[in-house]
Amino acid sequence: MSPLRLAGRTVVITGAAQGQGAAEVTAAAQEGARVVATDVLDEAGEKLAASLRADDLDVRFRHLDVTSPEDWSALASSLETVHGLVNNAGIPMRARLGEVDLTDWNRAFTVNTTGALLGIQALAPLMPVGASIVNVGSVAGLTAHHAVAYTTSKWALRGLSKVAALELGPRGIRTNVIHPGYIETPLMATANPVFVEAHLSMTPLGRAGHTDEVAPLVVYLLSDESAYVNGAEITVDGGYAAHGGVKAITNALDTGSA
C-alpha cells in the first residue's frame, strides 16, 4: 500500500460544510491530513466532521467567517503549524453589469477575494517550507462572464494568487489556483436553468462536473507531488474555457429572460 500523501499535515479548508468544500475535506482526510474544516454553516459543518471522525478520519469543525479578521486571528492562535490552506469559500452574485448594486458588489469581493487574503495573512506565518495554498477560482475568472461582481472578484483572486506565489515562494510556500467549471454543488442549485443549459452545451465533455472530480486536484496541489508547481492556474471544467464561447451564454440569457 502506498503511503498517504498528506500524512502528518494540518490542512485548513474554508467553505467546508457542503458541496465542493466537503469533498475536499473528505479527500484530504482520507490522505492522512488533520483537517480543520471551517464554515459559517455550523450545523452542516459539525455533522460532516462527526461523520468523518466516525470513519476514523482526523477532522474537526470550526466556525469561521472568512470576512472576519478576528475569526482568522482566533483560528491562527489555536494552531501551531499549518501545512495547507484551501481558500474554497465563495458566494455567487449573479446580477448583470447594469443591475448590480454596490452592496452585492462589495459582498462578492469581501468573501471571494478578501477572505482569501485574510486567510493567507493569518496562516502563512505558521507555514513551514513545503506548505501549500490552494485558491479556488472559477472559469468566470478566465473570461468575460455575465455575473459581473462574481466574475471580477474571481479575476482579482487570480492577481492575489500570483502575488502570493511571488512573495511566499522564497519561503518554500506554494500558491496555486484551480478554476472549476460547472460543478454540481449547492451553490449552483439556484442557477438559472437557461444558464445551466447554455453552459453545458458549450462544455466539450457535454456534462456537469462532480465534486469528487475536483477534490483530487486539491490533494495533489497540497502534496509533495506538486512540489515545483507554484503560481499555476488549472482548469477543471470539461474543456469549457478552452474555446472561449461565453457570448452564447449572454445571448441565451437575454432570450430566456425576455
Side-chain angles (χ1 to χ4, degrees), residues 225-239:
E225 294 175 2
S226 59
Y228 202 56
V229 181
N230 185 37
E233 302 189 53
I234 305 173
T235 57
V236 193
D237 66 351

PDB file of all heavy atoms in Angstrom, residues 225-239:
ATOM      1  N   GLU A 225       3.818  15.900  -4.296  1.00  0.00           N
ATOM      2  CA  GLU A 225       3.839  15.557  -5.717  1.00  0.00           C
ATOM      3  C   GLU A 225       3.865  16.807  -6.595  1.00  0.00           C
ATOM      4  O   GLU A 225       4.305  16.754  -7.743  1.00  0.00           O
ATOM      5  CB  GLU A 225       2.625  14.693  -6.066  1.00  0.00           C
ATOM      6  CG  GLU A 225       2.643  13.322  -5.407  1.00  0.00           C
ATOM      7  CD  GLU A 225       1.376  12.541  -5.678  1.00  0.00           C
ATOM      8  OE1 GLU A 225       0.505  13.069  -6.418  1.00  0.00           O
ATOM      9  OE2 GLU A 225       1.242  11.435  -5.160  1.00  0.00           O
ATOM     10  N   SER A 226       3.386  17.921  -6.053  1.00  0.00           N
ATOM     11  CA  SER A 226       3.353  19.183  -6.804  1.00  0.00           C
ATOM     12  C   SER A 226       4.392  20.168  -6.272  1.00  0.00           C
ATOM     13  O   SER A 226       4.206  21.383  -6.344  1.00  0.00           O
ATOM     14  CB  SER A 226       1.958  19.808  -6.722  1.00  0.00           C
ATOM     15  OG  SER A 226       1.607  20.058  -5.361  1.00  0.00           O
ATOM     16  N   ALA A 227       5.508  19.642  -5.764  1.00  0.00           N
ATOM     17  CA  ALA A 227       6.492  20.466  -5.066  1.00  0.00           C
ATOM     18  C   ALA A 227       7.079  21.590  -5.905  1.00  0.00           C
ATOM     19  O   ALA A 227       7.580  22.577  -5.349  1.00  0.00           O
ATOM     20  CB  ALA A 227       7.620  19.578  -4.532  1.00  0.00           C
ATOM     21  N   TYR A 228       7.033  21.485  -7.234  1.00  0.00           N
ATOM     22  CA  TYR A 228       7.592  22.532  -8.084  1.00  0.00           C
ATOM     23  C   TYR A 228       6.497  23.270  -8.854  1.00  0.00           C
ATOM     24  O   TYR A 228       6.756  23.986  -9.807  1.00  0.00           O
ATOM     25  CB  TYR A 228       8.623  21.941  -9.055  1.00  0.00           C
ATOM     26  CG  TYR A 228       9.616  22.954  -9.579  1.00  0.00           C
ATOM     27  CD1 TYR A 228      10.402  23.717  -8.720  1.00  0.00           C
ATOM     28  CD2 TYR A 228       9.772  23.147 -10.952  1.00  0.00           C
ATOM     29  CE1 TYR A 228      11.304  24.645  -9.210  1.00  0.00           C
ATOM     30  CE2 TYR A 228      10.678  24.064 -11.456  1.00  0.00           C
ATOM     31  CZ  TYR A 228      11.441  24.817 -10.568  1.00  0.00           C
ATOM     32  OH  TYR A 228      12.349  25.740 -11.062  1.00  0.00           O
ATOM     33  N   VAL A 229       5.260  23.106  -8.411  1.00  0.00           N
ATOM     34  CA  VAL A 229       4.126  23.800  -9.038  1.00  0.00           C
ATOM     35  C   VAL A 229       3.791  25.012  -8.182  1.00  0.00           C
ATOM     36  O   VAL A 229       3.330  24.882  -7.047  1.00  0.00           O
ATOM     37  CB  VAL A 229       2.897  22.871  -9.160  1.00  0.00           C
ATOM     38  CG1 VAL A 229       1.743  23.608  -9.835  1.00  0.00           C
ATOM     39  CG2 VAL A 229       3.251  21.606  -9.926  1.00  0.00           C
ATOM     40  N   ASN A 230       4.027  26.194  -8.695  1.00  0.00           N
ATOM     41  CA  ASN A 230       3.794  27.429  -7.949  1.00  0.00           C
ATOM     42  C   ASN A 230       3.331  28.511  -8.918  1.00  0.00           C
ATOM     43  O   ASN A 230       3.922  28.706  -9.975  1.00  0.00           O
ATOM     44  CB  ASN A 230       5.085  27.882  -7.257  1.00  0.00           C
ATOM     45  CG  ASN A 230       4.875  29.088  -6.368  1.00  0.00           C
ATOM     46  OD1 ASN A 230       3.840  29.207  -5.717  1.00  0.00           O
ATOM     47  ND2 ASN A 230       5.839  29.996  -6.333  1.00  0.00           N
ATOM     48  N   GLY A 231       2.255  29.195  -8.553  1.00  0.00           N
ATOM     49  CA  GLY A 231       1.713  30.235  -9.416  1.00  0.00           C
ATOM     50  C   GLY A 231       0.927  29.705 -10.595  1.00  0.00           C
ATOM     51  O   GLY A 231       0.610  30.456 -11.524  1.00  0.00           O
ATOM     52  N   ALA A 232       0.557  28.435 -10.553  1.00  0.00           N
ATOM     53  CA  ALA A 232      -0.166  27.820 -11.677  1.00  0.00           C
ATOM     54  C   ALA A 232      -1.665  28.066 -11.574  1.00  0.00           C
ATOM     55  O   ALA A 232      -2.208  28.306 -10.492  1.00  0.00           O
ATOM     56  CB  ALA A 232       0.105  26.318 -11.718  1.00  0.00           C
ATOM     57  N   GLU A 233      -2.324  27.991 -12.717  1.00  0.00           N
ATOM     58  CA  GLU A 233      -3.782  28.057 -12.790  1.00  0.00           C
ATOM     59  C   GLU A 233      -4.251  26.843 -13.585  1.00  0.00           C
ATOM     60  O   GLU A 233      -3.849  26.648 -14.734  1.00  0.00           O
ATOM     61  CB  GLU A 233      -4.229  29.349 -13.463  1.00  0.00           C
ATOM     62  CG  GLU A 233      -3.728  30.599 -12.747  1.00  0.00           C
ATOM     63  CD  GLU A 233      -4.354  31.869 -13.294  1.00  0.00           C
ATOM     64  OE1 GLU A 233      -5.592  31.925 -13.360  1.00  0.00           O
ATOM     65  OE2 GLU A 233      -3.603  32.785 -13.660  1.00  0.00           O
ATOM     66  N   ILE A 234      -5.090  26.031 -12.952  1.00  0.00           N
ATOM     67  CA  ILE A 234      -5.501  24.768 -13.557  1.00  0.00           C
ATOM     68  C   ILE A 234      -7.026  24.724 -13.645  1.00  0.00           C
ATOM     69  O   ILE A 234      -7.724  24.909 -12.637  1.00  0.00           O
ATOM     70  CB  ILE A 234      -4.989  23.572 -12.734  1.00  0.00           C
ATOM     71  CG1 ILE A 234      -3.468  23.662 -12.545  1.00  0.00           C
ATOM     72  CG2 ILE A 234      -5.375  22.260 -13.409  1.00  0.00           C
ATOM     73  CD1 ILE A 234      -2.900  22.621 -11.601  1.00  0.00           C
ATOM     74  N   THR A 235      -7.531  24.480 -14.838  1.00  0.00           N
ATOM     75  CA  THR A 235      -8.979  24.389 -15.022  1.00  0.00           C
ATOM     76  C   THR A 235      -9.466  22.968 -14.776  1.00  0.00           C
ATOM     77  O   THR A 235      -8.774  21.994 -15.063  1.00  0.00           O
ATOM     78  CB  THR A 235      -9.391  24.820 -16.435  1.00  0.00           C
ATOM     79  OG1 THR A 235      -8.690  24.018 -17.391  1.00  0.00           O
ATOM     80  CG2 THR A 235      -9.080  26.288 -16.673  1.00  0.00           C
ATOM     81  N   VAL A 236     -10.671  22.877 -14.217  1.00  0.00           N
ATOM     82  CA  VAL A 236     -11.374  21.598 -14.047  1.00  0.00           C
ATOM     83  C   VAL A 236     -12.786  21.846 -14.581  1.00  0.00           C
ATOM     84  O   VAL A 236     -13.733  22.046 -13.834  1.00  0.00           O
ATOM     85  CB  VAL A 236     -11.423  21.155 -12.570  1.00  0.00           C
ATOM     86  CG1 VAL A 236     -11.856  19.689 -12.474  1.00  0.00           C
ATOM     87  CG2 VAL A 236     -10.108  21.367 -11.865  1.00  0.00           C
ATOM     88  N   ASP A 237     -12.915  21.866 -15.888  1.00  0.00           N
ATOM     89  CA  ASP A 237     -14.133  22.413 -16.485  1.00  0.00           C
ATOM     90  C   ASP A 237     -14.640  21.657 -17.704  1.00  0.00           C
ATOM     91  O   ASP A 237     -15.487  22.166 -18.440  1.00  0.00           O
ATOM     92  CB  ASP A 237     -13.891  23.879 -16.862  1.00  0.00           C
ATOM     93  CG  ASP A 237     -12.862  24.044 -17.982  1.00  0.00           C
ATOM     94  OD1 ASP A 237     -12.210  23.041 -18.345  1.00  0.00           O
ATOM     95  OD2 ASP A 237     -12.719  25.170 -18.484  1.00  0.00           O
ATOM     96  N   GLY A 238     -14.123  20.459 -17.940  1.00  0.00           N
ATOM     97  CA  GLY A 238     -14.587  19.693 -19.089  1.00  0.00           C
ATOM     98  C   GLY A 238     -14.223  20.301 -20.426  1.00  0.00           C
ATOM     99  O   GLY A 238     -14.793  19.936 -21.452  1.00  0.00           O
ATOM    100  N   GLY A 239     -13.290  21.260 -20.407  1.00  0.00           N
ATOM    101  CA  GLY A 239     -12.868  21.904 -21.644  1.00  0.00           C
ATOM    102  C   GLY A 239     -13.582  23.198 -21.956  1.00  0.00           C
ATOM    103  O   GLY A 239     -13.336  23.824 -23.000  1.00  0.00           O
TER     104      GLY A 239
END
